[in-house]
Amino acid sequence: MAPNIQTIGIANGGGDCPGLNAVIRGAVRSAILGRGWRVIGIQDGFDGLIWPERTMPLTVESIAGILPRGGTILGTTNRGNPFRYRVDKDGKKETHDYSLICCENARKLGLDALIVIGGDGTLTIARDLGRMGIPIVGVPKTIDNDLSATEVTFGFDTALHVATDAIDRLHTTAESHGRVMVIEVMGRNAGWIALHSGIAGGADVILIPEIPFTIETVCEKLRERAATGKKFSLVVVAEGVKLQPLDPEGNPFPAPRPGQVGILIGDAIHKLLKKDVRITVLGHIQRGGSPSPFDRILATRFGVEAIELIARGEFGRMVCLRAGEIESVPIDEAVGETRLVNPRGSMVRAARAVGITFGDPG
Ligand code: F6P
C-alpha cells in the first residue's frame, strides 16, 4: 500500500558536487507540484537533524533559479557523522552519538521520508539511520564517479569538462615552450577523471590508482617522444595514485596529500630528464561552478525518481542510472563497493592503442 506522505526532508552530505541543486530542485518541484507534499531542507549534512533550527522550508519559489548554480543551497559538511560526532570541549575532542536525536528530530519535524544525497560515507550513515526507523531514499553523488551501483554520478561530467579544458589550455603553452606539463586532477580512489580527461585532452601519460607505475617508465615515454621531435608532453595524474616505492633513488615518498602528488611526480620527472617541467593542480576548481547540461539532466531525473520511490514506499533504496534508464537498488548494496577503472577494460585499451602510456610495462 502506498504510504500517506505529507512532509519530506532533503539532506546532502560530504563534499559538494555540481548538480546538487538540480537534484534538490527536481525533488522539490516534483513533490510540491506533482504530489502536494511539503518539503523541508536539512542544512549542513545531518547537522540540521541534530539542531532542527538548521532547517528551512523548500518551496517552488524559494528554489527558483538554482538549476544552473554550483554548490548546494543546503550547505554541506564531511565532518558531521551523527553516529560519531566530534565536538571540542574545553580544548579536548569528544565523540558523541547523536543518532537517536536525529530520529527524534525527524519525528518532531514531521518527516514522513528523507531524501539523502551523498557518496559512500553519507549513504552509509543514511542506511544506518534508516535501520533506526527514518524512511530513507538515497541519491548517489560524487565527481569521482566511483560508486558501484550507478553507471554515472552527476558532477562527473562537469569535472571532466573542467579538466579537459585545462589540459587543452596547458597543451598550447606546453607546445610553445617545449615543456613537460604535469596536471593533477581529482580522484581519491579511482582514476575516472584522469582517464577520461586524459583521453579527451590527448595526454601522453595518464597515471591512475588502478595501474601501478614507475617514474622510469614514464620518463622512457617522454624520451621516446623527444627522440621523434616532440619537444613537449602532457602527463595527467589522478590525486590518488600510489607513490610509495616509486622514488627514482629508492627512497619512499612521504605519504602525499592530494595537491602534493602532482608536485612529487613533476619533480621526479625533472630530476630524471633534466627537462623543464611545470605542474598544475586543478583541485576544487573541478568541484565548483555551474553543472553541465548532462549533469543537470541526470540530477533532475534522480531528484524526480527519489520522489517516485517515496510515493511507492520503496524506502532503503538508492536511485541509479543503468543502460540510460533511472532505476533503484538497495542502499545496502550500493555502499561499500568502489567502482574502479578496469586496467584491462576497453577504455584503457583504447588509450593504449592511441599511444598513451600508463607508466607500467603495458
Ligand atoms: O570524493 C570527491 C572528492 O572531490 C575527491 O576527488 C577529493 O579527494 C575529495 O573529494 C576532496 O575533499 P575535500 O573537499 O574534503 O578536500
Side-chain angles (χ1 to χ4, degrees):
M1 205 179 69
N4 176 21
I5 305 288
Q6 286 172 15
T7 304
I8 64 164
I10 302 182
N12 54 222
D16 70 350
C17 179
L20 279 171
N21 284 327
V23 178
I24 295 167
R25 175 181 176 273
V28 169
R29 288 183 69 88
S30 159
I32 296 175
L33 300 177
R35 311 256 172 201
W37 298 344
R38 214 162 63 92
V39 188
I40 296 175
I42 311 297
Q43 290 169 272
D44 306 323
F46 295 98
D47 283 12
L49 282 182
I50 303 171
W51 297 281
E53 61 277 13
R54 284 159 72 176
T55 55
M56 61 203 258
L58 294 174
T59 63
V60 171
E61 294 72 33
S62 74
I63 58 149
I66 67 171
L67 178 61
R69 266 170 63 185
T72 163
I73 57 164
L74 296 177
T76 191
T77 173
N78 48 18
R79 292 174 196 278
N81 181 350
F83 290 90
R84 283 190 304 278
Y85 205 94
R86 305 268 286 159
V87 285
D88 269 334
K89 186 144 186 245
D90 304 328
K92 285 199 191 125
K93 290 258 183 260
E94 286 184 355
T95 304
H96 294 275
D97 183 352
Y98 290 146
S99 57
L100 275 175
I101 295 178
C102 287
C103 296
E104 182 61 17
N105 284 330
R107 200 185 52 73
K108 283 190 190 151
L109 288 164
L111 301 186
D112 300 308
L114 177 66
I115 296 174
V116 178
I117 315 164
D120 219 37
T122 303
L123 290 173
T124 303
I125 297 167
R127 178 202 63 192
D128 294 344
L129 288 174
R131 286 176 178 162
M132 294 174 71
I134 303 181
I136 301 269
V137 160
V139 175
K141 167 243 63 163
T142 164
I143 67 159
D144 289 0
N145 203 25
D146 61 356
L147 289 182
S148 65
T150 185
E151 277 169 18
V152 191
T153 47
F154 65 85
F156 172 67
D157 185 64
T158 306
L160 177 57
H161 275 77
V162 172
T164 305
D165 179 60
I167 296 169
D168 286 348
R169 287 167 189 276
L170 292 166
H171 197 152
T172 59
T173 167
E175 200 166 5
S176 310
H177 286 264
R179 282 172 172 157
V180 174
M181 289 287 181
V182 173
I183 307 123
E184 182 189 307
V185 298
M186 278 188 167
R188 195 176 2 203
N189 303 305
W192 294 108
I193 298 176
L195 178 60
H196 283 235
S197 66
I199 293 174
D204 305 297
V205 178
I206 300 176
L207 303 178
I208 57 176
E210 294 87 342
I211 303 182
F213 70 95
T214 64
I215 288 292
E216 288 81 357
T217 312
V218 170
C219 289
E220 202 37 55
K221 165 78 179 181
L222 305 185
R223 275 193 211 100
E224 273 169 26
R225 273 179 62 78
T228 61
K230 299 273 177 79
K231 296 199 179 78
F232 73 98
S233 292
L234 299 168
V235 179
V236 179
V237 179
E239 65 180 3
V241 288
K242 317 269 180 319
L243 287 179
Q244 238 59 323
L246 300 170
D247 182 317
E249 283 162 10
N251 303 316
F253 278 119
R257 285 161 46 94
Q260 297 175 326
V261 174
I263 296 172
L264 289 168
I265 290 175
D267 287 351
I269 293 173
H270 172 70
K271 225 170 174 180
L272 274 182
L273 286 188
K274 310 274 179 289
K275 238 184 112 63
D276 223 8
V277 178
R278 294 290 184 273
I279 299 151
T280 303
V281 177
L282 288 188
H284 289 76
I285 289 170
Q286 296 158 98
R287 283 232 310 250
S290 185
S292 68
F294 178 90
D295 283 336
R296 294 181 201 186
I297 295 166
L298 180 61
T300 300
R301 293 174 80 195
F302 277 173
V304 169
E305 184 60 20
I307 297 301
E308 296 298 309
L309 286 180
I310 293 173
R312 294 197 296 269
E314 294 185 29
F315 299 116
R317 298 186 71 81
M318 182 193 89
V319 301
C320 62
L321 186 78
R322 287 191 169 166
E325 289 301 320
I326 307 293
E327 297 182 7
S328 71
V329 287
I331 294 179
D332 208 16
E333 270 176 33
V335 296
E337 206 190 312
T338 309
R339 200 173 66 85
L340 298 175
V341 172
N342 177 357
R344 284 169 297 285
S346 62
M347 189 71 85
V348 172
R349 290 204 310 274
R352 290 195 200 275
V354 295
I356 295 171
T357 300
F358 289 84
D360 61 340

